[in-house]
Amino acid sequence: MTWTPNPERYRSATFRRCGRSGLDLPPISLGLWHNFGGIDVFETGRAVIRRAFDRGVTHFDLANNYGPPYGSAEENFGTIIRKDFTAHRDEMIISSKAGWDMWPGPYGAGGSRKYLLASLDQSLRRMGLDYVDIFYSHRPTPDVPLEETMGALVQMHRQGKALYVGISSYGPERTRQAAEILRAEGVPLLIHQPSYSMLNRWVETALLDTLAELGVGCIAFSPLAQGLLTNKYLNGVPADSRAAAGDSFTAAMLTEGNLAHVRALNDIARARGQSLAQMAIAWVLRDPRVTSALIGARNVAQLDDSLDALNGLAFSDAELTLIDRYAHEGGIDLWRDLG
């Protein structure tokens, strides 16, 4: 049976301008870091992507090594595009990235021109696309000249394989340098993707000011601190959680201090009539310099809960002051000091 998107999907949808570009993004974007790989149930992921689109989510964020196994999230997403979204490609913002490990040998990770350009071509083949809307340098690689990494982004932009370019996890000074190199080549830096949550506030020190000055958008990944800012860990470690799996989230992050703060934040969320996840997303979006919050979703119910954060974006000064008592650095930033 042919799937037809909700014809009312844009009636109440809102969008935010990405920096000083001409591009609007939804306030919540869907990331495929987890739950969409080859080990996951295909039809569940397909249902999540359909539901997101039906609710006005137009931005879908991937990377070359999302899975597992590496590449499988893009392969599955490409299949979903062909089955359900061929007629709607121009309504979608699709992004991918490269920087972390992808294949063996010296050319399968980092920021070299060879790796980035080969990665993009592979991503396009996996997804069955002619271009991506945004391509990111997924991480800074200080052992590679920044001019080379940015030069690769310039080349893919000029080839029409990436309409816009971005960076992820770069510090403020390196962000400024990257923007200057790109500007000299006539290619604007569209967007920065940093980690940001109530337990990981490093962007507030200087990065957000830098992005605002440069006119660069910001899409915050891991606003739920990889699930810590949900009700998942309020009463222990569930067997199906990331902490139990021991991949990108470890039980070492579940310190008594972090859990005490999470429980206090959960009480504030309940008083606001929100789930903790909804408040965490809304809190990230409280700052107008943040264009979009990038979420994941294991199933449609989890997606709906997160998207319902948009029903309660306003915070009183008293609420923000109270949140600040518990929204402290939690030692969960896996991307700290990348450069």
Side-chain angles (χ1 to χ4, degrees):
M1 180 181 296
T2 301
W3 174 73
T4 302
N6 176 13
E8 303 295 318
R9 59 189 175 278
Y10 296 121
R11 182 176 294 276
S12 59
T14 60
F15 295 87
R16 295 185 175 195
R17 183 56 54 91
C18 189
R20 289 197 291 268
S21 75
L23 186 68
D24 290 332
L25 293 179
I28 296 178
S29 301
L30 181 62
L32 279 67
W33 181 16
H34 296 281
N35 306 311
F36 296 88
I39 66 169
D40 300 295
V41 179
F42 175 83
E43 288 299 335
T44 300
R46 185 183 185 186
V48 168
I49 290 170
R50 286 176 168 183
R51 178 63 171 171
F53 193 71
D54 275 345
R55 293 197 57 177
V57 175
T58 55
H59 182 203
F60 300 88
D61 180 87
L62 300 102
N64 58 349
N65 64 352
Y66 285 178
Y70 290 171
S72 60
E74 288 185 330
E75 290 173 353
N76 286 340
F77 184 71
T79 300
I80 294 167
I81 290 290
R82 290 191 297 274
K83 289 178 177 289
D84 298 327
F85 291 96
T86 299
H88 305 283
R89 171 64 181 96
D90 291 336
E91 298 180 53
M92 306 171 77
I93 299 296
I94 299 171
S95 61
S96 192
K97 323 177 197 70
W100 294 102
D101 59 301
M102 180 61 189
W103 63 82
Y107 318 120
S112 71
R113 180 187 300 272
K114 179 172 178 60
Y115 174 57
L116 293 183
L117 294 177
S119 289
L120 174 57
D121 284 343
Q122 291 180 19
S123 291
L124 292 176
R125 286 196 294 270
R126 281 190 290 268
M127 292 187 285
L129 300 176
D130 296 323
Y131 69 93
V132 292
D133 297 278
I134 306 170
F135 192 86
Y136 293 85
S137 167
H138 204 170
R139 66 179 177 103
T141 48
D143 62 329
V144 175
L146 188 58
E147 291 81 3
E148 178 173 346
T149 302
M150 294 304 105
L153 298 184
V154 169
Q155 182 171 335
M156 61 182 66
H157 179 270
R158 289 176 177 166
Q159 290 174 331
K161 295 179 180 180
L163 302 188
Y164 301 92
V165 299
I167 57 177
S168 179
S169 298
Y170 282 50
E173 182 55 33
R174 201 165 182 84
T175 294
R176 190 179 300 278
Q177 294 168 356
E180 290 174 355
I181 294 169
L182 291 169
R183 186 183 303 112
E185 295 289 341
V187 177
L189 177 61
L190 174 79
I191 193 168
H192 189 300
Q193 187 175 133
S195 59
Y196 183 36
S197 73
M198 291 192 290
L199 300 179
N200 176 19
R201 301 180 64 169
W202 72 279
V203 302
E204 297 174 359
T205 302
L207 183 61
L208 287 177
D209 284 339
T210 299
L211 298 180
E213 178 187 340
L214 296 173
V216 175
C218 176
I219 178 168
F221 78 86
S222 202
L224 303 183
Q226 299 195 68
L228 188 53
L229 289 169
T230 69
N231 61 6
K232 186 179 299 182
Y233 298 106
L234 295 178
N235 300 300
V237 181
D240 63 346
S241 66
R242 289 194 203 171
D247 50 9
S248 60
F249 187 108
T250 68
M253 298 177 184
L254 299 174
T255 65
E256 284 304 317
N258 279 348
L259 291 176
H261 290 157
V262 167
R263 293 185 185 108
L265 291 168
N266 184 60
D267 290 341
I268 298 171
R270 291 175 61 186
R272 282 171 49 84
Q274 290 182 309
S275 68
L276 177 55
Q278 289 167 353
M279 186 180 78
I281 294 167
W283 182 88
V284 165
L285 291 171
R286 83 199 184 286
D287 193 314
R289 295 171 296 184
V290 176
T291 313
S292 187
L294 183 59
I295 66 164
R298 179 171 295 181
N299 51 48
V300 169
Q302 194 176 77
L303 172 74
D304 280 337
D305 182 76
S306 293
L307 293 179
D308 285 346
L310 299 178
N311 298 329
L313 293 179
F315 289 88
S316 68
D317 290 341
E319 286 174 329
L320 291 174
T321 298
L322 184 58
I323 287 171
D324 278 340
R325 293 184 188 177
Y326 307 104
H328 295 170
E329 172 59 43
I332 64 168
D333 186 2
L334 302 177
W335 307 272
R336 180 180 296 278
D337 300 327
L338 287 177

